[in-house]
Amino acid sequence: AQPTPPRSNLPDPGPGDALDTSPDAAAARLTQVAESLLGDASRVALADVLGSDWPSARRVLADLTTLDLRPELPYRLTWADGLTIAPEREPAWLSHGYLERAR
């Protein structure tokens, strides 16, 4: 086991000071993510908006899952029953889902 590195005694404002903590900031950011993916469409396949960069795709999926769990926002994720396996891709599986405007 490696010891934990020493921590500085100096105050560290870090990126948290730049974070907007207003009540509507998270909803506004999630709305911006959804609108950038949807564009003028009312529905978009996740396979079309998730790139081959898996770390970025994970962040987008996390945002879209959070967005889907916010009933006050007019967006929903829907999932199909199919699953595509492609060992040469990252990720090697694709569950077919869609981001939709709910209203």
Side-chain angles (χ1 to χ4, degrees):
Q2 293 182 322
T4 304
R7 297 196 180 263
S8 171
N9 291 333
L10 298 174
D12 179 13
D17 289 349
L19 184 63
D20 185 355
T21 57
S22 65
D24 297 328
R29 190 185 71 74
L30 292 170
T31 298
Q32 182 182 15
V33 169
E35 289 298 327
S36 70
L37 295 175
L38 285 166
D40 292 333
S42 61
R43 183 182 195 204
V44 64
L46 295 180
D48 295 340
V49 298
L50 298 178
S52 59
D53 175 25
W54 180 232
S56 295
R58 286 187 312 189
R59 285 189 291 274
V60 170
L61 285 172
D63 283 343
L64 294 180
T65 301
T66 303
L67 184 102
D68 185 54
L69 294 172
R70 304 275 305 254
E72 73 274 13
L73 297 178
Y75 308 100
R76 296 295 161 254
L77 288 178
T78 58
W79 298 99
D81 290 335
L83 185 68
T84 301
I85 306 297
E88 69 281 357
R89 286 196 51 181
E90 180 67 31
W93 54 269
L94 179 62
S95 177
H96 300 281
Y98 299 89
L99 172 64
E100 302 175 331
R101 281 193 181 90
R103 296 179 210 153

